Structures are given as structure tokens and as C-alpha cells.
Amino acid sequence: MVACQLQKRPGAFIIRGKAMALCPAASLSFKGRWRGILTGVWDLRLSLLDAARGCAIINVVIFHFFYDHYVVSGLDPAWRADPFVGFWQLCSYGAFVLIAGSSFHLSGNNPARGLKLNLFGLLITFVTCIFAPQQAIYFGILNFHGCAIWVTWAIKKILIRCPAGLGMTASLLLYVIGMLAASAGVMGTWPNFLAHNAFVPLGWHGVSFHSADYVPLLPHIFLFWCSWYFYLWLDDAKGFFSRGSVPLLSWCGRHSLAIYLLHQPVFFFLGVTI
């Protein structure tokens, strides 16, 4: 086996080589191996991040099962208004945002990954608008991730100038302030020209706007950056995120996008046929 060489760039770790002999805790997906052979850029997979992503996707699947059971079926349309349910939903997409922030450093082609997530997000919007207009999704978690990756990639040379500890703390503080402002209705006190659906990706929208899953850039991109800085703040990030291995959770984490895209159609099919 040929030893891999890690080349550290501002905000990114790129693996160049054809094996992982010096990186036993990291592994490449089958698709990642082939892309590495063709391009010389290897995506690094870390077991703890995969397991955490697996927990997050399982949590989302469970949440959507109950959401479909109570809300989509009409059994209890007010189920989502329960404070516990709201907190559960917040934790669900918050976990994905945190994982995505650190994962940014492990991708060999972030622009392509961001574009892929945006395209899948637009596909979900199209499908829900056609088949479930009352549960249509505009700028959900996939579109957020795609745009957050693009924005971070575009300004990473600026972000990297800030010390990791300071950037992590400031990002977390801005996220908390943003969430408190949103919950207090402060966003609605901004100038009227912002109350337009053209600003939906940023967090402002018209009065009639509704989305079954809505994760705007503001303030959530600050949580993304908090995790982005956290990865840089760690002395041995790859070692930290490679600790332990839970095969089932790691498998779910490696296939989280496919699970996310397929679980709702499966629930819909079961709801129709059972």
C-alpha cells in the first residue's frame, strides 16, 4: 500500500495518494476511491462523524414518521405546535448543521457537493409542490447545506484569518442571538422591503410564506461556522473524529443523503397501502 500524504490548506484537508496506510482511522467510500483515482483528490471519512450523522438521520426519520402520522394524515394538525415537538425539530436540523460544518474540511470538492445538495433540495421542492402542496418545502435543510457550503467556500480565506477559538465563540454567540431574535419576532421589525419571498434564503419572507421545512441561512450559517471553526480549533481533529466505531450508525451516516431522500416516499407508500 502507498502511504497517503495529508496536505493542509486553509480550511481544508486534502489527501493525495492511492491508499490510507498512515491513516488507519479514516476510510474512503467506494465512490470516493474512484473519484480519488480519477482526480487525485480524496474525501476523508471519519468514523465518529459518520456515526453522529447516522444518529441524526435516524432521529429525522423518527420525527418525520410522527409528523406524517399526526400532521399529514390530519389526525392532529396542531401536533407541530407542541413546544417539545418544536424543540425536537430544532435539535434535528441543528445536529445536521453542526456535523456539516466540520465535514466541510473533509471534502475534496465542496462546490460540487454544494451544487448536488442544492439540486436535490430543488427536486424536493418540485415534488412536494406537485404531490403535497400543503406540505411544500421551500429552502429546507438540503438547500441550506448547499448554500452554506457555497458561501463558506467563497469566503474561507477571510474566515481563516480569525483565530479558531474566537471564531467558534463568536459564531455560536451570533447564532444564539439570531435564534432569540427570530423567536421574539424581531425579524418582522426590519424594513418592509425585506418582507418579500425573494429573501427567503436569508430568513426574511412575505406574510403568506409557508414551508413544511425551512432552514434559512440566517442565523443557521453561524452554527455551521461554529462547527467549521471547532474542527480547526482541535489539536488533532482527524484523531478526535475517528474515535470509536458503531458499524450500523456509521453505515447510516455514510448513506444519510439516500436515506433522507427515500424515507418520505416509503412512508407515503406505506400510508397509502396499509
Side-chain angles (χ1 to χ4, degrees):
M1 296 179 70
V2 180
C4 67
Q5 296 177 346
L6 291 182
Q7 176 186 353
K8 187 173 180 181
R9 300 187 315 187
F13 285 93
I14 303 299
I15 299 179
R16 300 192 179 276
K18 294 186 178 180
M20 303 289 291
L22 296 184
C23 310
S27 63
L28 290 173
S29 64
F30 177 80
K31 181 175 67 175
R33 291 190 186 100
W34 275 106
R35 187 168 70 179
I37 292 171
L38 294 173
T39 66
V41 179
W42 303 76
D43 286 354
L44 183 63
R45 301 210 69 101
L46 302 178
S47 57
L48 183 59
L49 273 180
D50 279 337
R53 193 181 294 108
C55 286
I57 192 62
I58 291 172
N59 180 57
V60 166
V61 170
I62 295 172
F63 178 88
H64 283 163
F65 174 82
F66 285 105
Y67 180 87
D68 292 352
H69 178 70
Y70 287 110
V71 179
V72 177
S73 68
L75 183 64
D76 183 10
W79 178 79
R80 192 176 179 180
D82 185 281
F84 171 77
V85 174
F87 179 73
W88 184 9
Q89 184 178 29
L90 177 66
C91 292
S92 296
Y93 61 70
F96 270 114
V97 174
L98 282 171
I99 295 168
S102 288
S103 298
F104 179 94
H105 298 284
L106 308 176
S107 175
N109 194 339
N110 274 304
R113 190 162 65 98
L115 178 61
K116 179 179 71 172
L117 292 173
N118 280 136
L119 290 176
F120 278 125
L122 292 175
L123 176 64
I124 289 177
T125 297
F126 175 77
V127 171
T128 54
C129 284
I130 297 298
F131 296 101
Q134 293 184 341
Q135 300 297 327
I137 295 176
Y138 301 97
F139 210 84
I141 189 66
L142 292 185
N143 272 324
F144 164 80
H145 279 163
C147 290
I149 289 170
W150 272 97
V151 171
T152 305
W153 175 79
I155 66 171
K156 65 180 180 181
K157 291 184 179 179
I158 298 175
L159 294 175
I160 201 69
R161 294 177 182 176
C162 178
L166 177 61
M168 179 175 61
T169 304
S171 296
L172 180 60
L173 182 61
L174 288 171
Y175 171 72
V176 172
I177 292 174
M179 291 299 293
L180 291 175
S183 64
V186 174
M187 299 290 277
T189 64
W190 287 80
N192 291 334
F193 76 88
L194 290 174
H196 192 282
N197 289 344
F199 297 102
V200 161
L202 295 178
W204 292 279
H205 50 76
V207 178
S208 61
F209 173 79
H210 172 75
S211 177
D213 180 28
Y214 180 46
V215 188
L217 285 172
L218 297 176
H220 299 94
I221 197 168
F222 294 118
L223 188 61
F224 184 95
W225 286 341
C226 178
S227 180
W228 188 88
Y229 277 115
F230 175 71
Y231 188 96
L232 297 179
W233 177 75
L234 290 171
D235 290 331
D236 181 18
K238 291 182 293 300
F240 176 84
F241 284 119
S242 298
R243 296 176 182 176
S245 177
V246 184
L248 178 59
L249 292 179
S250 295
W251 184 90
C252 291
R254 290 193 298 271
H255 300 86
S256 58
L257 180 58
I259 294 172
Y260 184 85
L261 292 173
L262 294 175
H263 78 281
Q264 282 288 44
V266 170
F267 287 163
F268 177 78
F269 175 77
L270 292 176
V272 170
T273 57
I274 296 178

